Amino acid sequence: MAVSGPDFIALQVRDLERAAEFYETRLGLRRAPAAPPGAVVFTTSPIPFAVREPLPGVDLDQVSPRPGAGVALWMHCDSAQELHDALVEAGIPILRAPEPGPFGVSFTFEDPDGYAVTLHDGA
């Protein structure tokens, strides 16, 4: 028996529609035509990404310093600098400024639920 690797990523969020709209309008993700109840799945590749209502017993307001602390969520984009500039213009908090690295230019922003998400434009 062997695990082949991640094949689905979901963030638990406080307000499902607000989170889904953020990822659609700010990052340009597209909703998949079908999703389980309480979730919005996006047509990301190679791994599907979703936002979902919290599981029973999860209180995102009790998580410190932010939800997902200790987990690195990276997403690929066409132009990290252009997306960074658009997020700054929209007032989205930037946690780490764009900088070149082994995965192209990358930067980290904070989503509406406080998750740190890194975007990069390299291969």
PDB file of all heavy atoms in Angstrom, residues 10-41:
ATOM      1  N   ALA A  10      -8.949  21.630   0.656  1.00  0.00           N
ATOM      2  CA  ALA A  10     -10.101  22.463   1.016  1.00  0.00           C
ATOM      3  C   ALA A  10      -9.769  23.286   2.250  1.00  0.00           C
ATOM      4  O   ALA A  10      -9.119  22.796   3.172  1.00  0.00           O
ATOM      5  CB  ALA A  10     -11.332  21.594   1.280  1.00  0.00           C
ATOM      6  N   LEU A  11     -10.209  24.530   2.240  1.00  0.00           N
ATOM      7  CA  LEU A  11     -10.093  25.406   3.399  1.00  0.00           C
ATOM      8  C   LEU A  11     -11.462  25.541   4.041  1.00  0.00           C
ATOM      9  O   LEU A  11     -12.451  25.808   3.348  1.00  0.00           O
ATOM     10  CB  LEU A  11      -9.589  26.795   2.990  1.00  0.00           C
ATOM     11  CG  LEU A  11      -8.214  26.876   2.344  1.00  0.00           C
ATOM     12  CD1 LEU A  11      -7.909  28.330   1.970  1.00  0.00           C
ATOM     13  CD2 LEU A  11      -7.144  26.305   3.255  1.00  0.00           C
ATOM     14  N   GLN A  12     -11.519  25.377   5.350  1.00  0.00           N
ATOM     15  CA  GLN A  12     -12.757  25.623   6.084  1.00  0.00           C
ATOM     16  C   GLN A  12     -12.867  27.132   6.306  1.00  0.00           C
ATOM     17  O   GLN A  12     -11.901  27.763   6.741  1.00  0.00           O
ATOM     18  CB  GLN A  12     -12.734  24.875   7.406  1.00  0.00           C
ATOM     19  CG  GLN A  12     -12.665  23.364   7.206  1.00  0.00           C
ATOM     20  CD  GLN A  12     -12.602  22.616   8.510  1.00  0.00           C
ATOM     21  OE1 GLN A  12     -13.593  22.561   9.227  1.00  0.00           O
ATOM     22  NE2 GLN A  12     -11.440  22.054   8.812  1.00  0.00           N
ATOM     23  N   VAL A  13     -14.025  27.690   6.010  1.00  0.00           N
ATOM     24  CA  VAL A  13     -14.192  29.148   6.040  1.00  0.00           C
ATOM     25  C   VAL A  13     -15.415  29.547   6.860  1.00  0.00           C
ATOM     26  O   VAL A  13     -16.330  28.757   7.066  1.00  0.00           O
ATOM     27  CB  VAL A  13     -14.306  29.717   4.605  1.00  0.00           C
ATOM     28  CG1 VAL A  13     -13.016  29.455   3.823  1.00  0.00           C
ATOM     29  CG2 VAL A  13     -15.499  29.139   3.860  1.00  0.00           C
ATOM     30  N   ARG A  14     -15.412  30.799   7.317  1.00  0.00           N
ATOM     31  CA  ARG A  14     -16.518  31.320   8.131  1.00  0.00           C
ATOM     32  C   ARG A  14     -17.776  31.583   7.300  1.00  0.00           C
ATOM     33  O   ARG A  14     -18.878  31.349   7.738  1.00  0.00           O
ATOM     34  CB  ARG A  14     -16.083  32.606   8.822  1.00  0.00           C
ATOM     35  CG  ARG A  14     -15.043  32.398   9.881  1.00  0.00           C
ATOM     36  CD  ARG A  14     -14.541  33.746  10.428  1.00  0.00           C
ATOM     37  NE  ARG A  14     -13.469  33.527  11.369  1.00  0.00           N
ATOM     38  CZ  ARG A  14     -12.192  33.408  11.030  1.00  0.00           C
ATOM     39  NH1 ARG A  14     -11.832  33.487   9.762  1.00  0.00           N
ATOM     40  NH2 ARG A  14     -11.270  33.201  11.956  1.00  0.00           N
ATOM     41  N   ASP A  15     -17.608  32.135   6.116  1.00  0.00           N
ATOM     42  CA  ASP A  15     -18.717  32.515   5.247  1.00  0.00           C
ATOM     43  C   ASP A  15     -18.426  31.947   3.861  1.00  0.00           C
ATOM     44  O   ASP A  15     -17.585  32.478   3.129  1.00  0.00           O
ATOM     45  CB  ASP A  15     -18.830  34.045   5.216  1.00  0.00           C
ATOM     46  CG  ASP A  15     -19.971  34.560   4.366  1.00  0.00           C
ATOM     47  OD1 ASP A  15     -20.301  33.929   3.331  1.00  0.00           O
ATOM     48  OD2 ASP A  15     -20.534  35.603   4.718  1.00  0.00           O
ATOM     49  N   LEU A  16     -19.107  30.870   3.512  1.00  0.00           N
ATOM     50  CA  LEU A  16     -18.815  30.134   2.288  1.00  0.00           C
ATOM     51  C   LEU A  16     -18.911  31.012   1.041  1.00  0.00           C
ATOM     52  O   LEU A  16     -18.002  31.026   0.210  1.00  0.00           O
ATOM     53  CB  LEU A  16     -19.755  28.931   2.168  1.00  0.00           C
ATOM     54  CG  LEU A  16     -19.536  28.034   0.963  1.00  0.00           C
ATOM     55  CD1 LEU A  16     -18.143  27.438   0.955  1.00  0.00           C
ATOM     56  CD2 LEU A  16     -20.598  26.947   0.935  1.00  0.00           C
ATOM     57  N   GLU A  17     -19.989  31.754   0.888  1.00  0.00           N
ATOM     58  CA  GLU A  17     -20.162  32.555  -0.326  1.00  0.00           C
ATOM     59  C   GLU A  17     -19.136  33.679  -0.401  1.00  0.00           C
ATOM     60  O   GLU A  17     -18.607  33.978  -1.482  1.00  0.00           O
ATOM     61  CB  GLU A  17     -21.579  33.104  -0.417  1.00  0.00           C
ATOM     62  CG  GLU A  17     -21.921  33.666  -1.782  1.00  0.00           C
ATOM     63  CD  GLU A  17     -21.627  32.715  -2.943  1.00  0.00           C
ATOM     64  OE1 GLU A  17     -21.908  31.510  -2.856  1.00  0.00           O
ATOM     65  OE2 GLU A  17     -21.096  33.200  -3.977  1.00  0.00           O
ATOM     66  N   ARG A  18     -18.832  34.305   0.719  1.00  0.00           N
ATOM     67  CA  ARG A  18     -17.815  35.373   0.731  1.00  0.00           C
ATOM     68  C   ARG A  18     -16.457  34.827   0.312  1.00  0.00           C
ATOM     69  O   ARG A  18     -15.741  35.430  -0.494  1.00  0.00           O
ATOM     70  CB  ARG A  18     -17.739  35.997   2.124  1.00  0.00           C
ATOM     71  CG  ARG A  18     -16.717  37.106   2.231  1.00  0.00           C
ATOM     72  CD  ARG A  18     -16.735  37.697   3.638  1.00  0.00           C
ATOM     73  NE  ARG A  18     -15.366  37.990   4.003  1.00  0.00           N
ATOM     74  CZ  ARG A  18     -14.846  37.867   5.191  1.00  0.00           C
ATOM     75  NH1 ARG A  18     -15.578  37.468   6.203  1.00  0.00           N
ATOM     76  NH2 ARG A  18     -13.603  38.159   5.419  1.00  0.00           N
ATOM     77  N   ALA A  19     -16.080  33.677   0.855  1.00  0.00           N
ATOM     78  CA  ALA A  19     -14.793  33.071   0.511  1.00  0.00           C
ATOM     79  C   ALA A  19     -14.758  32.666  -0.957  1.00  0.00           C
ATOM     80  O   ALA A  19     -13.773  32.920  -1.661  1.00  0.00           O
ATOM     81  CB  ALA A  19     -14.519  31.867   1.404  1.00  0.00           C
ATOM     82  N   ALA A  20     -15.837  32.035  -1.441  1.00  0.00           N
ATOM     83  CA  ALA A  20     -15.885  31.611  -2.839  1.00  0.00           C
ATOM     84  C   ALA A  20     -15.779  32.821  -3.767  1.00  0.00           C
ATOM     85  O   ALA A  20     -15.039  32.798  -4.760  1.00  0.00           O
ATOM     86  CB  ALA A  20     -17.167  30.835  -3.105  1.00  0.00           C
ATOM     87  N   GLU A  21     -16.493  33.874  -3.447  1.00  0.00           N
ATOM     88  CA  GLU A  21     -16.442  35.082  -4.275  1.00  0.00           C
ATOM     89  C   GLU A  21     -15.038  35.685  -4.277  1.00  0.00           C
ATOM     90  O   GLU A  21     -14.550  36.147  -5.302  1.00  0.00           O
ATOM     91  CB  GLU A  21     -17.457  36.112  -3.780  1.00  0.00           C
ATOM     92  CG  GLU A  21     -17.517  37.324  -4.662  1.00  0.00           C
ATOM     93  CD  GLU A  21     -18.602  38.299  -4.250  1.00  0.00           C
ATOM     94  OE1 GLU A  21     -19.697  37.843  -3.881  1.00  0.00           O
ATOM     95  OE2 GLU A  21     -18.334  39.512  -4.285  1.00  0.00           O
ATOM     96  N   PHE A  22     -14.368  35.680  -3.124  1.00  0.00           N
ATOM     97  CA  PHE A  22     -12.995  36.198  -3.051  1.00  0.00           C
ATOM     98  C   PHE A  22     -12.094  35.439  -4.020  1.00  0.00           C
ATOM     99  O   PHE A  22     -11.364  36.037  -4.815  1.00  0.00           O
ATOM    100  CB  PHE A  22     -12.448  36.083  -1.629  1.00  0.00           C
ATOM    101  CG  PHE A  22     -10.993  36.432  -1.529  1.00  0.00           C
ATOM    102  CD1 PHE A  22     -10.591  37.751  -1.422  1.00  0.00           C
ATOM    103  CD2 PHE A  22     -10.024  35.443  -1.569  1.00  0.00           C
ATOM    104  CE1 PHE A  22      -9.240  38.077  -1.354  1.00  0.00           C
ATOM    105  CE2 PHE A  22      -8.677  35.754  -1.502  1.00  0.00           C
ATOM    106  CZ  PHE A  22      -8.285  37.077  -1.400  1.00  0.00           C
ATOM    107  N   TYR A  23     -12.123  34.117  -3.944  1.00  0.00           N
ATOM    108  CA  TYR A  23     -11.242  33.325  -4.798  1.00  0.00           C
ATOM    109  C   TYR A  23     -11.615  33.444  -6.271  1.00  0.00           C
ATOM    110  O   TYR A  23     -10.751  33.368  -7.139  1.00  0.00           O
ATOM    111  CB  TYR A  23     -11.204  31.865  -4.329  1.00  0.00           C
ATOM    112  CG  TYR A  23     -10.294  31.708  -3.132  1.00  0.00           C
ATOM    113  CD1 TYR A  23     -10.803  31.700  -1.835  1.00  0.00           C
ATOM    114  CD2 TYR A  23      -8.912  31.619  -3.294  1.00  0.00           C
ATOM    115  CE1 TYR A  23      -9.962  31.594  -0.740  1.00  0.00           C
ATOM    116  CE2 TYR A  23      -8.068  31.518  -2.206  1.00  0.00           C
ATOM    117  CZ  TYR A  23      -8.591  31.507  -0.935  1.00  0.00           C
ATOM    118  OH  TYR A  23      -7.746  31.410   0.153  1.00  0.00           O
ATOM    119  N   GLU A  24     -12.879  33.688  -6.568  1.00  0.00           N
ATOM    120  CA  GLU A  24     -13.304  33.917  -7.958  1.00  0.00           C
ATOM    121  C   GLU A  24     -12.854  35.284  -8.455  1.00  0.00           C
ATOM    122  O   GLU A  24     -12.247  35.395  -9.514  1.00  0.00           O
ATOM    123  CB  GLU A  24     -14.825  33.839  -8.070  1.00  0.00           C
ATOM    124  CG  GLU A  24     -15.371  32.444  -8.084  1.00  0.00           C
ATOM    125  CD  GLU A  24     -16.881  32.442  -8.243  1.00  0.00           C
ATOM    126  OE1 GLU A  24     -17.574  33.080  -7.419  1.00  0.00           O
ATOM    127  OE2 GLU A  24     -17.359  31.802  -9.181  1.00  0.00           O
ATOM    128  N   THR A  25     -13.197  36.328  -7.708  1.00  0.00           N
ATOM    129  CA  THR A  25     -12.954  37.685  -8.206  1.00  0.00           C
ATOM    130  C   THR A  25     -11.513  38.130  -8.058  1.00  0.00           C
ATOM    131  O   THR A  25     -11.001  38.830  -8.931  1.00  0.00           O
ATOM    132  CB  THR A  25     -13.872  38.711  -7.511  1.00  0.00           C
ATOM    133  OG1 THR A  25     -13.620  38.704  -6.114  1.00  0.00           O
ATOM    134  CG2 THR A  25     -15.334  38.397  -7.784  1.00  0.00           C
ATOM    135  N   ARG A  26     -10.846  37.748  -6.999  1.00  0.00           N
ATOM    136  CA  ARG A  26      -9.476  38.222  -6.767  1.00  0.00           C
ATOM    137  C   ARG A  26      -8.419  37.341  -7.413  1.00  0.00           C
ATOM    138  O   ARG A  26      -7.377  37.835  -7.833  1.00  0.00           O
ATOM    139  CB  ARG A  26      -9.190  38.357  -5.269  1.00  0.00           C
ATOM    140  CG  ARG A  26     -10.088  39.344  -4.572  1.00  0.00           C
ATOM    141  CD  ARG A  26      -9.873  40.738  -5.084  1.00  0.00           C
ATOM    142  NE  ARG A  26     -10.853  41.644  -4.486  1.00  0.00           N
ATOM    143  CZ  ARG A  26     -11.221  42.771  -5.032  1.00  0.00           C
ATOM    144  NH1 ARG A  26     -10.696  43.156  -6.177  1.00  0.00           N
ATOM    145  NH2 ARG A  26     -12.119  43.533  -4.461  1.00  0.00           N
ATOM    146  N   LEU A  27      -8.663  36.017  -7.478  1.00  0.00           N
ATOM    147  CA  LEU A  27      -7.666  35.116  -8.058  1.00  0.00           C
ATOM    148  C   LEU A  27      -8.081  34.556  -9.409  1.00  0.00           C
ATOM    149  O   LEU A  27      -7.289  33.916 -10.087  1.00  0.00           O
ATOM    150  CB  LEU A  27      -7.354  33.962  -7.100  1.00  0.00           C
ATOM    151  CG  LEU A  27      -6.807  34.336  -5.728  1.00  0.00           C
ATOM    152  CD1 LEU A  27      -6.325  33.095  -5.005  1.00  0.00           C
ATOM    153  CD2 LEU A  27      -5.708  35.373  -5.802  1.00  0.00           C
ATOM    154  N   GLY A  28      -9.338  34.755  -9.782  1.00  0.00           N
ATOM    155  CA  GLY A  28      -9.794  34.292 -11.085  1.00  0.00           C
ATOM    156  C   GLY A  28     -10.109  32.805 -11.160  1.00  0.00           C
ATOM    157  O   GLY A  28     -10.189  32.251 -12.251  1.00  0.00           O
ATOM    158  N   LEU A  29     -10.299  32.148 -10.020  1.00  0.00           N
ATOM    159  CA  LEU A  29     -10.652  30.731 -10.050  1.00  0.00           C
ATOM    160  C   LEU A  29     -12.084  30.569 -10.545  1.00  0.00           C
ATOM    161  O   LEU A  29     -12.918  31.445 -10.361  1.00  0.00           O
ATOM    162  CB  LEU A  29     -10.519  30.111  -8.653  1.00  0.00           C
ATOM    163  CG  LEU A  29      -9.135  30.169  -8.005  1.00  0.00           C
ATOM    164  CD1 LEU A  29      -9.136  29.422  -6.684  1.00  0.00           C
ATOM    165  CD2 LEU A  29      -8.067  29.621  -8.928  1.00  0.00           C
ATOM    166  N   ARG A  30     -12.358  29.427 -11.177  1.00  0.00           N
ATOM    167  CA  ARG A  30     -13.700  29.149 -11.678  1.00  0.00           C
ATOM    168  C   ARG A  30     -14.326  27.999 -10.897  1.00  0.00           C
ATOM    169  O   ARG A  30     -13.662  26.996 -10.624  1.00  0.00           O
ATOM    170  CB  ARG A  30     -13.659  28.798 -13.155  1.00  0.00           C
ATOM    171  CG  ARG A  30     -13.452  30.046 -14.010  1.00  0.00           C
ATOM    172  CD  ARG A  30     -13.324  29.654 -15.428  1.00  0.00           C
ATOM    173  NE  ARG A  30     -11.967  29.075 -15.477  1.00  0.00           N
ATOM    174  CZ  ARG A  30     -11.324  28.735 -16.556  1.00  0.00           C
ATOM    175  NH1 ARG A  30     -11.877  28.853 -17.708  1.00  0.00           N
ATOM    176  NH2 ARG A  30     -10.114  28.249 -16.513  1.00  0.00           N
ATOM    177  N   ARG A  31     -15.607  28.172 -10.571  1.00  0.00           N
ATOM    178  CA  ARG A  31     -16.322  27.123  -9.844  1.00  0.00           C
ATOM    179  C   ARG A  31     -16.532  25.895 -10.728  1.00  0.00           C
ATOM    180  O   ARG A  31     -16.840  26.020 -11.911  1.00  0.00           O
ATOM    181  CB  ARG A  31     -17.694  27.617  -9.389  1.00  0.00           C
ATOM    182  CG  ARG A  31     -17.630  28.690  -8.327  1.00  0.00           C
ATOM    183  CD  ARG A  31     -19.029  29.078  -7.884  1.00  0.00           C
ATOM    184  NE  ARG A  31     -18.975  30.297  -7.088  1.00  0.00           N
ATOM    185  CZ  ARG A  31     -19.738  30.521  -6.046  1.00  0.00           C
ATOM    186  NH1 ARG A  31     -20.655  29.644  -5.672  1.00  0.00           N
ATOM    187  NH2 ARG A  31     -19.622  31.646  -5.366  1.00  0.00           N
ATOM    188  N   ALA A  32     -16.392  24.741 -10.103  1.00  0.00           N
ATOM    189  CA  ALA A  32     -16.726  23.490 -10.784  1.00  0.00           C
ATOM    190  C   ALA A  32     -18.247  23.406 -10.882  1.00  0.00           C
ATOM    191  O   ALA A  32     -18.956  23.973 -10.051  1.00  0.00           O
ATOM    192  CB  ALA A  32     -16.171  22.305 -10.004  1.00  0.00           C
ATOM    193  N   PRO A  33     -18.775  22.694 -11.865  1.00  0.00           N
ATOM    194  CA  PRO A  33     -20.230  22.618 -12.023  1.00  0.00           C
ATOM    195  C   PRO A  33     -20.932  21.884 -10.879  1.00  0.00           C
ATOM    196  O   PRO A  33     -22.121  22.084 -10.667  1.00  0.00           O
ATOM    197  CB  PRO A  33     -20.418  21.878 -13.350  1.00  0.00           C
ATOM    198  CG  PRO A  33     -19.114  21.252 -13.651  1.00  0.00           C
ATOM    199  CD  PRO A  33     -18.063  22.025 -12.937  1.00  0.00           C
ATOM    200  N   ALA A  34     -20.212  21.050 -10.148  1.00  0.00           N
ATOM    201  CA  ALA A  34     -20.838  20.314  -9.042  1.00  0.00           C
ATOM    202  C   ALA A  34     -19.909  20.325  -7.836  1.00  0.00           C
ATOM    203  O   ALA A  34     -18.688  20.350  -7.979  1.00  0.00           O
ATOM    204  CB  ALA A  34     -21.118  18.876  -9.460  1.00  0.00           C
ATOM    205  N   ALA A  35     -20.526  20.333  -6.655  1.00  0.00           N
ATOM    206  CA  ALA A  35     -19.765  20.298  -5.405  1.00  0.00           C
ATOM    207  C   ALA A  35     -20.641  19.652  -4.337  1.00  0.00           C
ATOM    208  O   ALA A  35     -21.868  19.693  -4.420  1.00  0.00           O
ATOM    209  CB  ALA A  35     -19.369  21.706  -4.982  1.00  0.00           C
ATOM    210  N   PRO A  36     -20.019  19.090  -3.320  1.00  0.00           N
ATOM    211  CA  PRO A  36     -20.823  18.533  -2.241  1.00  0.00           C
ATOM    212  C   PRO A  36     -21.525  19.648  -1.468  1.00  0.00           C
ATOM    213  O   PRO A  36     -21.110  20.815  -1.538  1.00  0.00           O
ATOM    214  CB  PRO A  36     -19.806  17.810  -1.364  1.00  0.00           C
ATOM    215  CG  PRO A  36     -18.462  18.217  -1.830  1.00  0.00           C
ATOM    216  CD  PRO A  36     -18.602  18.896  -3.148  1.00  0.00           C
ATOM    217  N   PRO A  37     -22.577  19.322  -0.721  1.00  0.00           N
ATOM    218  CA  PRO A  37     -23.258  20.345   0.087  1.00  0.00           C
ATOM    219  C   PRO A  37     -22.270  21.025   1.038  1.00  0.00           C
ATOM    220  O   PRO A  37     -21.382  20.373   1.593  1.00  0.00           O
ATOM    221  CB  PRO A  37     -24.299  19.543   0.868  1.00  0.00           C
ATOM    222  CG  PRO A  37     -24.480  18.274   0.116  1.00  0.00           C
ATOM    223  CD  PRO A  37     -23.166  17.994  -0.562  1.00  0.00           C
ATOM    224  N   GLY A  38     -22.424  22.341   1.175  1.00  0.00           N
ATOM    225  CA  GLY A  38     -21.583  23.097   2.101  1.00  0.00           C
ATOM    226  C   GLY A  38     -20.193  23.372   1.589  1.00  0.00           C
ATOM    227  O   GLY A  38     -19.302  23.729   2.366  1.00  0.00           O
ATOM    228  N   ALA A  39     -19.981  23.232   0.281  1.00  0.00           N
ATOM    229  CA  ALA A  39     -18.647  23.471  -0.286  1.00  0.00           C
ATOM    230  C   ALA A  39     -18.772  24.095  -1.667  1.00  0.00           C
ATOM    231  O   ALA A  39     -19.772  23.931  -2.357  1.00  0.00           O
ATOM    232  CB  ALA A  39     -17.867  22.171  -0.383  1.00  0.00           C
ATOM    233  N   VAL A  40     -17.728  24.816  -2.053  1.00  0.00           N
ATOM    234  CA  VAL A  40     -17.571  25.301  -3.417  1.00  0.00           C
ATOM    235  C   VAL A  40     -16.230  24.766  -3.894  1.00  0.00           C
ATOM    236  O   VAL A  40     -15.196  25.020  -3.269  1.00  0.00           O
ATOM    237  CB  VAL A  40     -17.593  26.846  -3.492  1.00  0.00           C
ATOM    238  CG1 VAL A  40     -17.251  27.323  -4.897  1.00  0.00           C
ATOM    239  CG2 VAL A  40     -18.949  27.386  -3.049  1.00  0.00           C
ATOM    240  N   VAL A  41     -16.259  23.999  -4.970  1.00  0.00           N
ATOM    241  CA  VAL A  41     -15.055  23.416  -5.550  1.00  0.00           C
ATOM    242  C   VAL A  41     -14.695  24.216  -6.792  1.00  0.00           C
ATOM    243  O   VAL A  41     -15.573  24.588  -7.577  1.00  0.00           O
ATOM    244  CB  VAL A  41     -15.267  21.925  -5.910  1.00  0.00           C
ATOM    245  CG1 VAL A  41     -14.022  21.335  -6.562  1.00  0.00           C
ATOM    246  CG2 VAL A  41     -15.662  21.128  -4.677  1.00  0.00           C
TER     247      VAL A  41
END
